Amino acid sequence: MRAVLTGERGLMHIDARTLPNGTVLEGDLCIVGAGAAGITIAREWIGAKQTVLLLEGGGLTYEAAMQDLYRGEIVGLPYFPLEAARLHYFGGTTGHWAGFCSTFDAIDFEVRDWVPDSGWPLTRADLDPFYRRAQPVLQLGPYDYAAESWHRRDPAMIALPLDARAVWTKMWQFSPPARFGTLYRDEIFAAPNVRLYTHANVCEIEANDSLAAVQGLRVRQLDGKELQVRARHYVLACCSIQNARLLLASNARAPAGLGNGHDLVGRYFMEHLEIPSGRVALAPAAARRGMAMYEWTQGVTKARAELALAPAVQRARRILNATVSLEPGAPDSVAQSTFQAITPDVLAAERDSAAQGRSAPAVTAAPPAAERFFNAMTRQEQAPNPRSRISLGAERDALGMPRVRLDWQLTDLDRRSFAQFYDALGREFGRSGVGRVQVLDWVRSANPGWPKTLSGGWHHMGTTRMHGDPRRGVVDPDCRVHGLANLSIAGASVFPTAGAVNPTLTLVALSLRLSDELKRRLV
Ligand SMILES: Cc1cc2nc3c(=O)[nH]c(=O)nc-3n(C[C@H](O)[C@H](O)[C@H](O)COP(=O)(O)OP(=O)(O)OC[C@H]3O[C@@H](n4cnc5c(N)ncnc54)[C@H](O)[C@@H]3O)c2cc1C
């Protein structure tokens, strides 16, 4: 006989391995995954009259057998081992995130005709109230990312005197970092209406006959035991790769996977391209002003600035959004490599050469006389690309789930944007007299390949993108899966574009927005 666990109060954390085979868990809202997104939503429901089931695949701490469920195949560009790129236990990947946070810019939400598949069905203004609420969730400071405000707080923080119509100073804040598994554990355990089940790996989402709604979930354990889950509404919050994997593997009734009627699930996997790109040589006058605003000491600095191109420049050059962090360094502390200088003189020489029909010379410059050098680390958004994708591989994990295959792919736009970014930055440094910008050879090389230092930022985005049109997105603007009345998705998998900054602040803001929407639906 099946044990049915309804939403009775008083049993708040249950290790699902202790439940008999065939147990049915029942509640109003079921959240799959207890990481940044899932715990954010669960906390919003504490004290509500509805029962929330929070299903976490892992335990309360790291376990090798659970982590191994994340292993997968890399078939595209080189990438981090997947079992190291996300954590599979209560608290999720906040267990080792670094805490860098900033907001997406207004342009990140816009349709940009030079960025295929760009445009969110939301604006930055729509997200603002949720960004404000997300700040304390991540233990951040005031909802204020204006450089002038941080200067007022700390007069030592002085922005470089650059023309903001060309290059602007973009602020970041740093979470301690908030580790959700320890920070929110007691609150979740004590919540009268939230029942946390650990070792509850969801292996299948079961749709009804007409594929119009979810009728249940199947949880499987390493010893082969299975549990059933029934709720009025379900939220997937397993992070981008696992959200896509679960939908694709739920193919009993829909052969291509759930929510995948238009072959979009798993596609548009995006990362941030974090690559050492050159260095900045500050002229003595600029260096004397101090660089406190741009320098950062872990655990001490609460905010730091980076440099970004104004939206008008991005539009004019038809490039992606990016920011550059300036990391104090010695003249030769980047790679042992030659540099190309981007200075007004060099650009003028190149223009003259081009005007005379000669190809632009590759200029190798000695470091200019300068007071201080900073290594330039770029963080650039990746253009949405349907060929960059997650699919199911042939191998299965210990629960019998197909493992994932990651085919990370980049485009010409991704590559071209780097050179354009530094060209624009170099011109403004030269014009303003702030200093000189030099780029590593690969940045302006005619060779379209990527340097060995190509790296993502450990940020997984896309795979269940948001769009009002079901032919162009997996979820609608409310983060509900198109065509499935009671299934929503939380996390960066719904991002249509990646923005230039790390994703967690934005995904927590979107989770709060989703929670509000669910409250309207379920109360
Ligand atoms: C080294 C590193 C540094 C980072 N630094 C930053 C940073 O500085 N700034 C920033 O913004 N971001 C950073 N990130 C990214 C950040 O960690 C993620 O954006 C964030 O954790 C994603 O939250 P999430 O809830 O979507 O996923 P996760 O935090 O990964 O949570 C997903 C949860 O779902 C559970 N789960 C998965 N599958 C199932 C299943 N089938 N059934 C049940 N449960 C399941 C998992 O166990 C996990 O608990 C970093 C990541 C790494 C790896």
Side-chain angles (χ1 to χ4, degrees), residues 404-424:
V404 290
R405 179 186 287 138
L406 169 61
D407 188 358
W408 185 34
Q409 295 291 341
L410 300 172
T411 62
D412 290 347
L413 177 59
D414 297 304
R415 182 68 178 78
R416 183 172 65 77
S417 294
F418 274 86
Q420 287 289 322
F421 179 95
Y422 280 95
D423 188 66

Side-chain angles (χ1 to χ4, degrees), residues 31-39 55-58 70 84-102 138 172 174 200-203 237-240 242-243 245-246 401 457-460 490-493 501-508 511:
I31 303 165
V32 185
I39 289 179
L55 307 183
E56 168 52 47
Y70 274 2
R86 285 293 171 271
L87 287 178
H88 193 34
Y89 63 89
F90 181 66
T93 312
T94 66
H96 65 187
W97 78 311
F100 285 44
C101 292
S102 189
L138 293 167
W172 291 68
F174 298 97
N201 276 293
V202 175
C203 293
C238 302
C239 212
S240 296
Q242 302 303 321
N243 283 347
R245 179 190 190 191
L246 195 45
M401 284 271 285
W458 304 90
H459 306 151
H460 302 168
S493 65
V501 300
N502 298 11
T504 308
L505 177 62
T506 301
L507 76 85
V508 167
S511 300

Side-chain angles (χ1 to χ4, degrees), residues 182-350:
T182 45
L183 184 63
Y184 295 125
R185 192 169 104 150
D186 291 350
E187 203 182 325
I188 295 287
F189 279 21
N193 64 322
V194 178
R195 306 180 92 201
L196 167 67
Y197 293 88
T198 48
H199 297 105
N201 276 293
V202 175
C203 293
E204 191 179 342
I205 307 164
E206 296 172 325
N208 64 7
D209 289 342
S210 59
L211 293 176
V214 172
Q215 62 183 23
L217 305 177
R218 279 172 60 204
V219 167
R220 201 173 301 141
Q221 294 173 354
L222 290 175
D223 61 3
K225 235 169 24 184
E226 287 206 359
L227 313 178
Q228 303 286 318
V229 184
R230 307 260 180 268
R232 289 162 61 201
H233 199 97
Y234 304 83
V235 176
L236 289 191
C238 302
C239 212
S240 296
I241 292 179
Q242 302 303 321
N243 283 347
R245 179 190 190 191
L246 195 45
L247 288 171
L248 292 171
S250 298
N251 53 10
R253 290 213 159 99
L258 274 188
N260 200 22
H262 297 281
D263 188 21
L264 291 172
V265 174
R267 293 189 183 271
Y268 297 94
F269 172 85
M270 296 177 290
E271 250 286 8
H272 288 122
L273 307 181
E274 295 192 1
I275 317 182
S277 306
R279 65 185 171 188
V280 162
L282 274 196
R288 277 196 298 275
R289 291 164 59 97
M291 288 292 280
M293 186 161 237
Y294 300 85
E295 295 183 53
W296 177 64
T297 312
Q298 183 139 21
V300 176
T301 315
K302 296 281 180 269
R304 184 190 65 174
E306 296 192 355
L307 296 175
L309 296 186
V313 178
Q314 294 177 43
R315 279 191 199 98
R317 291 178 176 253
R318 301 175 73 76
I319 57 174
L320 296 162
N321 200 357
T323 72
V324 60
S325 63
L326 304 180
E327 297 168 4
D332 294 319
S333 63
V334 187
Q336 293 302 311
S337 175
T338 55
F339 291 95
Q340 294 179 350
I342 299 184
T343 67
D345 300 347
V346 170
L347 294 168
E350 290 191 356

Side-chain angles (χ1 to χ4, degrees), residues 276-517:
S277 306
R279 65 185 171 188
V280 162
L282 274 196
R288 277 196 298 275
R289 291 164 59 97
M291 288 292 280
M293 186 161 237
Y294 300 85
E295 295 183 53
W296 177 64
T297 312
Q298 183 139 21
V300 176
T301 315
K302 296 281 180 269
R304 184 190 65 174
E306 296 192 355
L307 296 175
L309 296 186
V313 178
Q314 294 177 43
R315 279 191 199 98
R317 291 178 176 253
R318 301 175 73 76
I319 57 174
L320 296 162
N321 200 357
T323 72
V324 60
S325 63
L326 304 180
E327 297 168 4
D332 294 319
S333 63
V334 187
Q336 293 302 311
S337 175
T338 55
F339 291 95
Q340 294 179 350
I342 299 184
T343 67
D345 300 347
V346 170
L347 294 168
E350 290 191 356
R351 270 197 304 275
D352 291 348
S353 303
Q356 289 162 24
R358 300 196 308 268
S359 63
V363 180
T364 302
E371 188 79 3
R372 283 196 71 185
F373 289 86
F374 289 83
N375 296 332
M377 168 68 100
T378 323
R379 183 184 302 94
Q380 185 185 282
E381 69 172 316
Q382 173 183 345
N385 174 8
R387 290 179 50 241
S388 180
R389 67 184 295 200
I390 300 296
S391 56
L392 299 180
E395 199 190 322
R396 291 186 179 255
D397 69 14
L399 296 173
M401 284 271 285
R403 291 194 184 276
V404 290
R405 179 186 287 138
L406 169 61
D407 188 358
W408 185 34
Q409 295 291 341
L410 300 172
T411 62
D412 290 347
L413 177 59
D414 297 304
R415 182 68 178 78
R416 183 172 65 77
S417 294
F418 274 86
Q420 287 289 322
F421 179 95
Y422 280 95
D423 188 66
L425 189 72
R427 283 173 188 260
E428 179 52 20
F429 265 63
R431 188 207 60 76
S432 62
V434 159
R436 292 288 182 266
V437 174
Q438 297 176 300
V439 288
L440 289 166
D441 285 343
W442 73 266
V443 173
R444 294 207 306 164
S445 159
N447 177 345
W450 291 93
K452 285 199 179 69
T453 48
L454 168 68
S455 173
W458 304 90
H459 306 151
H460 302 168
M461 298 163 284
T463 76
T464 66
R465 66 200 322 265
M466 183 196 296
H467 202 285
D469 179 346
R471 289 164 305 182
R472 301 187 59 195
V474 176
V475 300
D476 70 13
D478 287 332
C479 297
R480 196 170 54 88
V481 177
H482 282 290
L484 284 162
N486 59 347
L487 181 64
S488 304
I489 299 188
S493 65
V494 305
F495 291 6
T497 53
V501 300
N502 298 11
T504 308
L505 177 62
T506 301
L507 76 85
V508 167
L510 278 174
S511 300
L512 294 167
R513 180 176 172 274
L514 170 59
S515 178
D516 282 7
E517 197 272 324

